[in-house]
């Protein structure tokens, strides 16, 4: 943290940047405060502090500047590999949350009539602790669970707290985001992800993912640079998404059929002898079975499923082979392969299969599996981990391919519905709206003995909880280190950029320490987050003072070199065939699986996705970001021009969208950027929490329309396995 003074002239110049944040400073408007501050005789005191953005899971590095204790500007940290000096629109807008008039500012307890009353922290901890101990006494610790949206401190404190109580039931948001992809990659390449060497690539194909909508500044810049240098960029997506400005090709495809396209490309590469023989022979397992199976997946077969011409499939496969090894399929995130379809896991496996046939793993311009740093062992006995719980995590037996770090929250929901889970904690997780089927979450939460939500705002999940514990915002707290891998290694950290705004809010560690003490496991929490951070940093040779000053520190060079990587799989090679997948009851050899729901005559496939200023339900109530949504009608359902003409619909008309689970009304946007037979719904709207007045009932939510179900093997929520009908609502 660095403190200086600034002149009136400099202040006036800099305050223009603050207008973009449009924050309210206490009871004084930003404009009034700026005018008052600029007119003051004494110089203003400015303080800069590093932090990590909380706008999405990327956690980009940023620098916050305050003037006389009020937030003035945010900018990207130049050193952080994800931001490289920039932050996106939602990164700027999220700062408003600190000053929001709709924050939760003190502990709340739900009354019998469903309303909430404020209570003090001691009462909250005491009552929660008593209920936790009662649940354990009657049902055992395995009847408790926590679901968290991974944040640097929260993901570590959540697991430590639940394990200390004796429960293994720790779940992340992953099964509603990127679980299928990460589980698949772990089995085929021995890592949960990889990067693409855009700087040297000749050709890159995107399957559903859009850097221009799910924005990480460095990724957008890498893609822009690649396009400028002549890299052929292919977008496979039913929608011409906002990465289209960088694309050479748009391949509109039937939703959920990307796997057929990939298998047909594999067919071309093998049958036309275009694959990398040396790589396949020396570095893969199960190729013979894969090649034999791929014979039936011809481009003509795939055309009938995907609606992509066979000639296009052939041309894409041949062009990638010609560009190889400086050609690859991009690693993806949520979209098609994260948690969307019954075949998302298999589609992710197929992506890595194509990269293997191209021989691009570790190649310059290809797909890179890099290393990641982590904190080492800590000798201090205070930080010793609790004993491993006796009972296994609920859902792991039913979904044996799920990652240990994730779990499946669909299984947690099903177990709660069946009465197996009696007490639920949520840390920065809005599961009751953003995951699976909201009506089922409501039903499940009503069956529990205890629901506790730790959050900054009154989300739909908080609204259905027994207790709501208010955390400070990300700019008001210090958190544990966040390690970043790649060609270079880094450690980043949140430090306190704003002094606590509301006195009755608390930091993550303060909340979990209090809960642990009240629940009888306080011996595992005899330290602060600062203590734990200092101990973790010491294992990688970095001091806490250095992190508070710099925010991001480059760690020793991992000495990345191009070349075939080490595949940390069961076979030690890339796996076209994985025995563990066969043991889970699925085809061990990568192959075709159809999506579960196929739209019938009169129905539409519906797809969802991010917008550049939003991060699902978390940002929908932020004043500035919500204002942008309203100004540009960003909640609208996209419809192809051909379909709109058939239905007599024009942009701005209201339509009724219906599935087996839900019916809702929303305005429509008619566009040429969408494949006929498909509608697109942004996934940030349709809020049901009355306390979030801006977001409340604005637009509709895709999760309302989806049946409760889970992808075989991994347990992902299958967020797009639904068909809908759409009709015009007459004025």
């Amino acid at each position: 943290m660095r403190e200086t003074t600034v002149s009136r002239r400099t202040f006036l110049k800099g305050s223009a940047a603050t207008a973009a944040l449009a924050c309210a400073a206490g009871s004084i408007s930003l404009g009034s405060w700026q005018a008052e501050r600029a007119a003051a005789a004494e110089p203003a005191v400015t303080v800069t502090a590093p932090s990590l953005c909380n706008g999405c899971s990327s956690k980009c590095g940023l620098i916050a500047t305050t003037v006389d204790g009020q937030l003035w500007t945010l900018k990207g940290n130049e050193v952080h590999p994800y931001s490289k000096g920039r932050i996106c629109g939602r990164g700027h807008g999220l700062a408003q949350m600190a000053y929001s008039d709709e924050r939760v500012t003190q502990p709340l307890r739900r009354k019998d009539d469903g309303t909430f009353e404020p209570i003090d922290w001691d009462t909250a901890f005491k009552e929660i602790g008593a209920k936790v101990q009662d649940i354990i006494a009657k049902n055992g610790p395995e009847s408790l669970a926590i679901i968290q949206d991974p944040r640097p401190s929260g993901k570590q404190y959540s697991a430590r707290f639940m394990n200390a109580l004796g429960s293994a039931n720790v779940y992340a948001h992953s099964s509603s985001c990127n679980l299928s992809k990460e589980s698949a990659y772990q089995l085929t390449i021995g890592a949960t992800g990889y990067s693409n060497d855009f700087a040297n690539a000749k050709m890159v194909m995107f399957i559903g993912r859009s850097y221009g909508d799910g924005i990480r500044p460095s990724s957008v810049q890498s893609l822009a640079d690649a396009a400028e240098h002549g890299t052929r960029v292919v977008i496979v997506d039913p929608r011409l998404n906002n990465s289209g400005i960088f694309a050479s090709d748009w391949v509109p495809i039937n939703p959920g059929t990307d796997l057929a396209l990939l298998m047909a490309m594999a067919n071309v590469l093998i049958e036309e002898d275009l694959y990398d023989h040396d790589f396949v022979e020396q570095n893969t397992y199960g190729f013979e079975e894969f090649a034999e199976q791929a014979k039936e997946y011809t481009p003509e077969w795939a055309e009938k499923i995907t609606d992509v011409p066979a000639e296009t499939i052939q041309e894409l496969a041949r062009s990638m082979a010609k560009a190889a090894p400086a050609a690859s399929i991009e690693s993806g995130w949520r979209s098609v392969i994260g948690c969307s379809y019954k075949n998302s896991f298999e589609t992710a496996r197929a992506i890595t299969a194509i990269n293997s046939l191209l021989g691009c793993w570790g190649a310059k311009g290809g797909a890179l599996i890099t290393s990641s740093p982590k904190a080492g062992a800590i000798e201090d006995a205070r930080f010793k981990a609790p004993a491993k719980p006796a009972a296994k995590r609920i859902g792991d037996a039913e979904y044996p391919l799920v990652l240990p770090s994730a779990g499946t929250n669909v299984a947690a929901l099903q177990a709660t519905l069946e009465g197996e889970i009696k007490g639920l904690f949520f840390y920065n997780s809005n599961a009751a709206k953003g995951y699976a089927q909201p009506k089922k979450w409501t039903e499940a939460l009503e069956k529990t003995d205890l629901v506790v939500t730790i959050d900054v705002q009154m989300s739909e999940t908080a609204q259905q909880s027994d207790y709501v514990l208010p955390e400070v915002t990300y700019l008001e707290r210090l958190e544990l280190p966040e390690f970043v891998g790649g060609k270079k290694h880094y450690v980043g950290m949140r430090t306190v950029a704003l002094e606590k705004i509301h006195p009755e809010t608390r930091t993550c560690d303060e909340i979990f320490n209090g809960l642990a003490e009240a629940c009888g496991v306080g011996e595992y929490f005899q330290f602060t987050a600062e203590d734990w951070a200092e101990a973790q940093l010491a294992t990688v040779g970095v001091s806490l003072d250095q992190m508070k000053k710099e925010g991001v520190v480059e760690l020793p060079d991992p000495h990345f070199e191009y070349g075939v990587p080490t595949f940390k799989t069961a076979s030690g090679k890339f796996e076209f065939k994985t025995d563990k997948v066969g043991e889970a009851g699925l085809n061990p050899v990568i192959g075709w699986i159809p999506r579960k729901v196929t739209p019938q005559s009169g129905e539409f496939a519906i797809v969802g996705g991010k917008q550049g200023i939003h991060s699902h339900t978390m940002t929908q109530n932020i004043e500035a970001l919500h204002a942008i949504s309203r100004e540009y009608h960003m909640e609208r359902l996209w419809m192809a021009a051909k379909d709109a003409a058939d239905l007599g619909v024009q942009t701005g008309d209201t339509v009724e969208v219906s599935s087996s689970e839900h019916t809702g009304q929303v305005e429509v946007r008619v566009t040429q950027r969408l494949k006929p037979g498909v509608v697109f719904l942004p996934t940030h709207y349709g809020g049901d929490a009355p306390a979030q007045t801006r977001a409340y009932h604005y637009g509709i939510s895709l999760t309302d329309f989806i049946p409760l179900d889970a992808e075989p093997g991994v347990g992902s929520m299958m967020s797009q396995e639904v068909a809908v009908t759409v009709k015009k609502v007459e004025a």
Side-chain angles (χ1 to χ4, degrees):
M1 183 176 290
R2 183 166 58 89
E3 181 175 312
T4 60
T5 58
V6 62
S7 69
R8 178 176 179 275
R9 176 176 295 180
T10 304
F11 177 84
L12 286 170
K13 181 180 178 181
S15 63
T18 320
L21 295 177
C23 297
S27 60
I28 305 173
S29 71
L30 178 66
S32 299
W33 171 71
Q34 288 179 331
E36 179 183 301
R37 180 62 261 169
E42 72 277 9
V45 176
T46 69
V47 177
T48 60
S51 186
L52 300 177
C53 184
N54 203 48
C56 72
S57 57
S58 293
K59 297 177 279 289
C60 295
L62 58 81
I63 303 294
T65 300
T66 59
V67 176
D68 288 349
Q70 303 291 338
L71 186 62
W72 182 17
T73 58
L74 292 178
K75 66 177 183 178
N77 192 314
E78 297 282 352
V79 179
H80 198 284
Y82 295 163
S83 54
K84 294 186 177 179
R86 299 177 177 87
I87 50 176
C88 70
R90 65 172 173 258
H92 279 288
L94 189 70
Q96 269 196 345
M97 190 174 283
Y99 296 107
S100 173
D101 57 347
E102 295 188 343
R103 278 183 62 176
V104 181
T105 60
Q106 57 192 118
L108 300 173
R109 176 177 58 201
R110 188 168 62 173
K111 298 191 294 185
D112 291 341
D113 64 0
T115 62
F116 286 83
E117 60 183 349
I119 57 175
D120 60 74
W121 281 100
D122 288 343
T123 300
F125 287 146
K126 182 179 179 180
E127 292 183 4
I128 293 169
K131 292 183 179 184
V132 166
Q133 291 176 341
D134 184 58
I135 289 171
I136 292 175
K138 292 179 179 178
N139 305 284
E142 62 272 15
S143 62
L144 295 169
I146 192 166
I147 299 177
Q148 48 90 23
D149 189 349
R151 297 296 179 251
S153 290
K155 61 187 175 185
Q156 296 187 54
Y157 273 93
S158 293
R160 188 177 184 89
F161 174 60
M162 200 53 52
N163 291 170
L165 292 173
S167 174
N169 297 328
V170 181
Y171 304 93
H173 80 306
S174 305
S175 59
S176 300
C177 184
N178 61 356
L179 174 61
S180 301
K181 168 188 82 81
E182 294 201 344
S183 295
Y185 290 176
Q186 186 66 58
L187 294 171
T188 59
I189 63 175
T192 57
Y194 62 90
S195 61
N196 300 80
D197 191 19
F198 285 101
N200 301 294
K202 296 178 182 178
M203 185 172 178
V204 179
M205 178 182 290
F206 284 77
I207 303 291
R209 191 181 187 188
S210 172
Y211 288 175
D213 294 281
I215 295 175
R216 179 183 288 177
S218 62
S219 297
V220 176
Q221 189 61 57
S222 294
L223 180 58
D225 290 345
E228 186 175 338
H229 296 151
T231 302
R232 183 179 176 186
V233 177
V234 179
I235 292 176
V236 179
D237 196 324
R239 178 177 73 113
L240 180 55
N241 60 54
N242 286 330
S243 294
I245 190 173
F246 306 118
S248 316
D249 306 71
W250 172 36
V251 181
I253 190 170
N254 286 333
T257 67
D258 306 80
L259 178 57
L261 170 73
L262 294 166
M263 296 311 302
M265 289 178 63
N267 172 282
V268 174
L269 292 171
I270 296 170
E271 294 303 310
E272 296 186 10
D273 199 24
L274 301 174
Y275 70 94
D276 187 324
H277 282 257
D278 288 342
F279 178 87
V280 168
E281 291 169 7
Q282 297 174 26
N283 301 291
T284 70
Y285 170 75
F287 173 71
E288 291 78 10
E289 294 96 322
F290 176 77
E292 182 63 29
Q293 191 171 266
K295 288 181 180 179
E296 62 185 277
Y297 304 133
T298 65
E300 292 74 20
W301 164 84
E303 178 178 350
K304 297 176 183 178
I305 298 170
T306 63
D307 199 32
V308 177
E311 295 79 8
T312 299
I313 298 172
Q314 292 167 335
E315 191 279 329
L316 289 171
R318 292 165 183 165
S319 294
M320 292 198 82
K322 184 177 181 180
S328 62
I329 300 182
E330 194 271 342
S331 59
W333 194 264
R334 183 180 182 178
S335 58
V336 175
I337 62 174
C339 66
S340 296
Y341 301 104
K342 184 181 177 180
N343 60 21
S344 287
F345 170 82
E346 197 71 356
T347 304
R349 287 213 295 164
I351 286 173
T352 59
I354 297 296
N355 285 344
S356 296
L357 294 174
L358 297 173
C360 69
W361 293 113
K364 194 171 184 178
L368 309 180
I369 302 173
T370 53
S371 59
S372 295
K374 63 180 180 179
I378 301 173
E379 295 182 2
D380 191 327
R382 290 180 298 167
F383 306 106
K384 183 180 179 181
K388 185 178 180 180
K392 292 184 178 180
R393 181 172 54 191
I394 292 172
D396 284 6
E398 294 84 351
Y399 303 103
L401 303 178
V402 68
L403 286 176
S405 61
T408 166
N409 51 59
V410 177
L413 170 56
Q414 292 169 329
T416 307
L417 284 166
E418 295 166 5
E420 191 175 353
I421 291 178
K422 298 293 186 181
L424 268 170
F425 289 81
F426 296 92
Y427 177 76
N428 272 286
S429 166
N430 191 15
K433 189 62 179 180
Y435 305 170
Q437 225 294 338
K439 286 188 291 188
K440 290 295 183 181
W441 274 108
T442 296
E443 181 184 340
L445 296 180
E446 288 176 351
K447 292 183 176 183
T448 59
D449 296 334
L450 175 67
V451 180
V452 179
T453 289
I454 302 166
D455 210 331
V456 174
Q457 55 189 344
M458 202 68 176
S459 67
E460 286 82 359
T461 305
Q463 192 72 42
Q464 299 177 59
S465 299
D466 299 306
Y467 297 89
V468 182
L469 305 181
E471 189 178 27
V472 298
T473 63
Y474 72 106
L475 292 172
E476 300 169 78
R477 63 185 186 241
L478 176 146
E479 292 204 44
L480 300 179
E482 182 78 5
F483 293 91
V484 182
K487 291 181 179 179
K488 296 183 178 181
H489 287 177
Y490 299 85
V491 59
M493 192 169 155
R494 286 196 179 117
T495 65
V496 177
L498 286 175
E499 293 303 317
K500 186 187 293 186
I501 295 171
H502 297 285
E504 289 303 307
T505 56
R506 294 193 177 183
T507 58
C508 173
D509 58 318
E510 290 173 332
I511 294 172
F512 277 103
N513 288 358
L515 286 171
E517 191 67 37
C519 293
V521 291
E523 68 267 27
Y524 294 104
F525 293 84
Q526 297 300 308
F527 50 83
T528 65
E530 188 161 312
D531 295 332
W532 202 0
E534 188 170 34
Q536 290 184 6
L537 290 168
T539 68
V540 293
V542 178
S543 72
L544 183 59
D545 286 342
Q546 185 180 8
M547 291 304 302
K548 287 182 176 180
K549 180 181 178 181
E550 300 177 28
V552 182
V553 174
E554 185 174 343
L555 297 174
D557 187 353
H559 302 294
F560 168 81
E561 293 182 357
Y562 290 107
V564 177
T566 299
F567 295 106
K568 297 179 181 179
T569 60
S571 64
K573 297 181 177 183
F574 173 82
E575 298 202 346
F576 287 105
K577 174 185 177 183
T578 299
D579 297 334
K580 186 176 180 180
V581 176
E583 293 166 5
L586 304 177
N587 185 355
V589 181
I590 299 171
W592 167 244
I593 298 172
R595 65 171 293 176
K596 183 176 182 178
V597 176
T598 301
Q600 302 302 306
S601 176
E603 294 181 330
F604 291 86
I606 188 168
V607 296
K610 276 189 174 182
Q611 294 172 330
I613 64 165
H614 280 302
S615 190
H616 306 303
T617 65
M618 184 180 66
T619 56
Q620 62 179 315
N621 200 54
I622 293 174
E623 187 173 2
L625 300 182
H626 186 78
I628 295 171
S629 291
R630 284 192 180 271
E631 180 176 356
Y632 294 100
H633 299 275
M634 293 174 68
E635 86 289 1
R636 288 175 171 173
L637 179 84
W638 289 31
M639 178 177 282
K642 179 181 182 300
D643 294 328
D646 291 343
L647 294 176
V649 169
Q650 297 180 353
T651 293
D653 286 346
T654 298
V655 294
E656 182 177 273
V657 183
S658 299
S659 75
S660 59
E661 310 300 314
H662 186 71
T663 295
Q665 294 186 357
V666 68
E667 284 190 12
V668 71
R669 172 187 176 182
V670 178
T671 179
Q672 297 286 353
R673 291 171 55 189
L674 193 65
K675 181 177 178 59
V678 182
V679 289
F680 167 79
L681 187 67
T683 55
H684 317 291
Y685 305 110
D688 288 321
Q692 296 190 33
T693 59
R694 287 174 283 273
Y696 187 57
H697 288 177
Y698 176 66
I700 57 177
S701 171
L702 180 56
T703 57
D704 287 326
F705 294 88
I706 307 162
L708 175 60
D709 206 348
E711 185 179 355
V714 288
S716 295
M717 67 182 266
M718 302 199 300
S719 62
Q720 294 175 176
E721 282 289 13
V722 66
V724 298
T725 59
V726 181
K727 66 179 182 179
K728 182 178 178 180
V729 176
E730 301 296 337

